[in-house]
Amino acid sequence: MMLQRNHAQIWLNKLKPYSAKLTEPIELVVEGKLSRMVGLTLEAVGCRAAIGSRCRIETKTGRGIEAEVVGFAGSRVFLMPTGELHGLEPDCRVIPLGGNNLARVGFGLLGRVLDGAGNPLDDKGPLKTEAQISLNGSPINPLSRKPIRESLDVGVRAINSLLCVGRGQRMGLFAGTGVGKSILLGMMTKFTTADIVVVGLIGERGREVNEFVQKILGEEGLKRAVVVATPADCPPLMRVHGALLATSIAEFFRDQGLDVLLLMDSLTRFAQAHREIALAIDEPPATKGYPPSVFAKLPHLVERAGNANVDGGSITAFYTVLAEGDDTNDPIADAARGVLDGHIVLSRNLAESGHFPAIDIEASVSRVMPDIADTSHLLMAREIRRLYSLYQQNRDLISVGAYQPGSDSRIDKAIEKNAAILDFLQQDMNEPVDMDRSLNEMQIMLGRT
């Protein structure tokens, strides 16, 4: 009996490796077919695919169209295309490709212009990349992030002096249409002391892409920059991918220990693209047509920027927020203010009066400036703000001659310094003004030299 048991145990031991192999999960590709198309939303039945994975839709002519899984309901899978939809018809094959979206990254991307899928838009040959990382990034433990303690010179006097930006800070650039936000972004791109610049042109006019690259950025600025462009005529999913790709590229350079300046124009178009996708899969609208998921996507994108751990680099990010109808209380603008570390407001009145950059210093604030600027810098910035605000509050009385000089010494000083302050806040788009020069000119204007 003991001999039989030993023989049985030996045979069981021999079977263990084979039985383990049989119990391993086997991933089967289950194809489906296209059953319905409403707007840009495709509905497939019979296939099995995870959220965020890719599928290939084969037309009767043999042409393949890639789409991404954005939702499901029971046995129905909702897809959003990443390209043109011409040639689709009922019962086209839907083949799950599996895998998550990956971004190709590397130092070979410097000086290149890409689309939302990471393909080159310029004529400089194939891309040379070193690695692939997740397009959606990975969250950073907030306790391991390096605190913001150093300033970043952006080459714009009004920002360096009154709205000092820290390495790893996330700032919003709030502006209506046609007030110079693209030119201001271009100035920061060329004049900043950051090691790498990543620009995301998301959902803007197509002609602005070439204009930004050739005219505003220029050949010198492009050498240390990567531009990701998904104009307004791209599908909404590709516009979303453009913003995610720009952020992923910035994360790669940050993880190499470099200081990165990320400029994204615009956060509003990113939110609008998400709104199109969410409404297409029947998510109910909440505020001004924006579904709740849109307000969850904004912090997910913004929180990927900032400082890494102590040994890593930084991503200093500027996100433009389009104030529709110059309404800075738009739902997206309101939500962005809550997740960003400060905001710069561009004024249409200043732009129309020829004041450039049209930064409204009364409505703008940098939340980390008290942590990165010294006491003398803070006192000078506070004095300039006070004098500027006093003049604006009494502007009508001063203009019509109703104010009598000598009535208030503070207003008298505001009148005396107003012209100098306005000159100080203006800057030619081709003239860089570094941090040291900004501080020296502040001292001279206030008579503290």
Side-chain angles (χ1 to χ4, degrees):
M1 181 67 69
M2 182 63 67
L3 182 62
Q4 292 178 354
R5 287 180 182 176
N6 290 339
H7 279 297
Q9 189 63 42
I10 291 172
W11 282 107
L12 285 173
N13 291 337
K14 289 182 178 180
L15 287 173
K16 276 183 180 180
Y18 299 96
S19 62
K21 291 180 181 179
L22 292 175
T23 57
E24 290 178 359
I26 301 176
E27 186 176 349
L28 299 176
V29 177
V30 181
E31 297 183 7
K33 63 180 181 178
L34 197 63
S35 63
R36 191 173 69 155
M37 173 180 173
V38 179
L40 291 177
T41 309
L42 309 176
E43 186 177 307
V45 294
C47 64
R48 188 180 184 89
I51 292 289
S53 63
R54 292 291 185 96
C55 292
R56 178 183 172 87
I57 304 171
E58 292 192 350
T59 64
K60 302 298 182 182
T61 60
R63 175 170 170 260
I65 298 173
E66 277 204 3
E68 183 175 313
V69 179
V70 294
F72 58 85
S75 60
R76 297 175 297 158
V77 175
F78 302 124
L79 306 168
M80 190 69 67
T82 59
E84 294 293 332
L85 294 174
H86 300 298
L88 284 182
E89 55 185 290
D91 295 334
C92 286
R93 291 177 64 198
V94 178
I95 306 170
L97 302 178
N100 296 320
N101 291 315
L102 297 174
R104 294 177 292 169
V105 293
F107 285 90
L109 298 181
L110 293 176
R112 305 302 300 269
V113 182
L114 317 176
D115 64 9
N119 300 316
L121 291 174
D122 48 25
D123 298 323
K124 297 181 179 179
L127 296 174
K128 297 179 181 179
T129 56
E130 303 167 11
Q132 289 185 329
I133 61 176
S134 172
L135 199 63
N136 295 305
S138 56
I140 300 177
N141 187 334
L143 295 179
S144 67
R145 283 186 185 268
K146 182 170 55 177
I148 301 174
R149 293 292 181 266
E150 300 178 12
S151 62
L152 177 70
D153 190 346
V154 296
V156 180
R157 180 168 45 219
I159 298 177
N160 283 341
S161 58
L162 302 178
L163 301 164
C164 195
V165 177
R167 296 179 186 271
Q169 184 174 1
R170 289 81 56 92
M171 291 283 283
L173 189 60
F174 292 72
T177 55
V179 295
K181 65 180 185 300
S182 296
I183 297 177
L184 181 57
L185 289 179
M187 290 174 65
M188 290 190 286
T189 303
K190 290 186 292 184
F191 304 151
T192 182
T193 57
D195 301 316
I196 303 292
V197 178
V198 180
V199 182
L201 302 176
I202 311 301
E204 298 298 321
R205 293 180 290 273
R207 70 165 182 83
E208 289 186 340
V209 176
N210 192 48
E211 182 178 336
F212 186 90
V213 173
Q214 300 294 335
K215 183 179 178 181
I216 299 177
L217 190 57
E219 185 176 348
E220 282 299 316
L222 188 60
K223 287 181 179 179
R224 57 166 177 164
V226 183
V227 179
V228 179
T230 51
D233 59 342
C234 292
L237 189 63
M238 192 55 63
R239 279 176 266 151
V240 170
H241 282 186
L244 299 178
L245 177 61
T247 307
S248 296
I249 294 172
E251 287 176 326
F252 167 77
F253 289 117
R254 178 187 63 187
D255 293 341
Q256 309 306 308
L258 300 173
D259 292 320
V260 183
L261 179 63
L262 171 64
L263 305 174
M264 192 168 294
D265 186 14
S266 69
L267 193 65
T268 304
R269 303 301 186 199
F270 170 79
Q272 289 174 346
H274 262 300
R275 177 174 64 181
E276 292 178 43
I277 296 172
L279 293 178
I281 58 176
D282 295 331
E283 185 179 348
T287 307
K288 283 195 175 182
Y290 288 99
S293 63
V294 172
F295 299 100
K297 294 292 184 180
L298 289 178
H300 181 267
L301 177 70
V302 170
E303 283 296 324
R304 292 174 61 181
N307 285 335
N309 55 31
V310 177
D311 299 325
S314 66
I315 300 176
T316 306
F318 282 83
Y319 299 94
T320 66
V321 180
L322 183 62
E324 298 183 3
D326 294 334
D327 179 17
T328 55
N329 292 319
D330 176 83
I332 298 302
D334 211 28
R337 268 194 299 267
V339 296
L340 294 171
D341 303 321
H343 52 271
I344 298 172
V345 179
L346 300 186
S347 167
R348 186 171 299 279
N349 292 332
L350 290 175
E352 290 174 349
S353 66
H355 182 113
F356 181 83
I359 298 175
D360 185 350
I361 63 171
E362 290 184 291
S364 306
V365 65
S366 173
R367 294 179 180 174
V368 304
M369 185 173 177
D371 298 325
I372 58 177
D374 58 33
T375 304
S376 61
H377 185 177
L378 292 173
L379 290 176
M380 288 190 295
R382 193 176 304 161
E383 178 71 5
I384 293 175
R385 283 177 173 272
R386 186 181 66 83
L387 294 174
Y388 182 86
S389 182
L390 269 174
Y391 186 89
Q392 297 302 319
Q393 291 169 10
N394 296 275
R395 184 174 182 176
D396 293 339
L397 292 175
I398 298 169
S399 299
V400 300
Y403 175 75
Q404 296 297 321
S407 301
D408 190 324
S409 60
R410 298 177 304 164
I411 299 177
D412 290 341
K413 187 174 181 180
I415 296 173
E416 177 191 348
K417 295 291 186 182
N418 183 64
I421 291 175
L422 291 180
D423 289 340
F424 176 80
L425 295 176
Q426 297 182 70
Q427 182 178 336
D428 186 84
M429 63 177 291
N430 296 313
E431 177 193 11
V433 180
D434 60 24
M435 181 69 73
D436 292 336
R437 180 180 166 187
S438 300
L439 296 179
N440 289 335
E441 291 181 357
M442 285 177 75
Q443 292 177 336
I444 294 171
M445 183 181 59
L446 295 174
R448 297 190 179 184
T449 55

